[in-house]
Amino acid sequence: MKTKSKYLFLFVLLASILTACGAPAPTANEPLTIAQGFWDGIHAKNVDAAMAFVADDVVTDGLPAHFTNKADFSAFMLSEVIDDGTILEVADLKLASEDTVTYTMKVDLRGNTEPFSGLGKLQVKDGKIIYIEFP
């Protein structure tokens, strides 16, 4: 009887281990993780934390401006969003393809205009955001 209990215990233990190993753990390079990290940094008003997820040669399109490098984009985000009080509400992040994330965004320009919203997207390569399309 003791032998059967040992075998049963080993079987259950082995089954648990194999089940846990069945799905790969998410990595820090997954586009959704990177997109969420970027927006978390912006919402925390920490442009340095947000820019850690952005490639040096990032390209941005849409409102408010077109940028082709991280330094200019970072300076803009710091002056116009972080320091100036623009409110960006980002939600509904979805993986649109293996390297692209879509999201909805509501923008409130400090009460100067009616808030507006739309669909945006960003693209990730080698663990960094290389393209951001604002609504």
Side-chain angles (χ1 to χ4, degrees):
M1 188 69 156
K2 263 186 166 178
T3 304
K4 287 182 182 180
S5 295
K6 286 181 184 179
Y7 284 122
L8 179 60
F9 172 77
L10 290 174
F11 175 76
V12 170
L13 180 63
L14 181 60
S16 298
I17 291 170
L18 291 175
T19 302
C21 294
T27 65
N29 291 338
E30 289 183 358
L32 279 172
T33 303
I34 292 164
Q36 188 65 59
F38 172 76
W39 290 116
D40 286 349
I42 295 298
H43 291 141
K45 299 190 180 300
N46 186 340
V47 75
D48 292 332
M51 292 301 142
F53 295 96
V54 176
D56 291 338
D57 58 349
V58 67
V59 173
T60 70
D61 280 322
L63 291 175
H66 175 77
F67 297 100
T68 57
N69 65 68
K70 181 178 178 174
D72 291 343
F73 178 53
S74 178
F76 172 82
M77 292 301 280
L78 182 61
S79 68
E80 296 297 320
V81 176
I82 305 298
D83 290 344
D84 207 22
T86 296
I87 300 168
L88 303 177
E89 294 177 19
V90 176
D92 202 25
L93 276 75
K94 293 181 182 175
L95 194 60
S97 71
E98 126 182 343
D99 66 350
T100 303
V101 174
T102 60
Y103 57 90
T104 58
M105 174 185 278
K106 180 179 176 188
V107 180
D108 185 349
L109 299 172
R110 305 163 306 282
N112 294 336
T113 62
E114 278 296 310
F116 61 93
S117 61
L119 183 66
K121 71 178 177 179
L122 57 81
Q123 186 177 12
V124 175
K125 181 179 179 186
D126 298 327
K128 297 285 185 175
I129 298 169
I130 60 168
Y131 177 77
I132 303 174
E133 181 179 300
F134 290 95

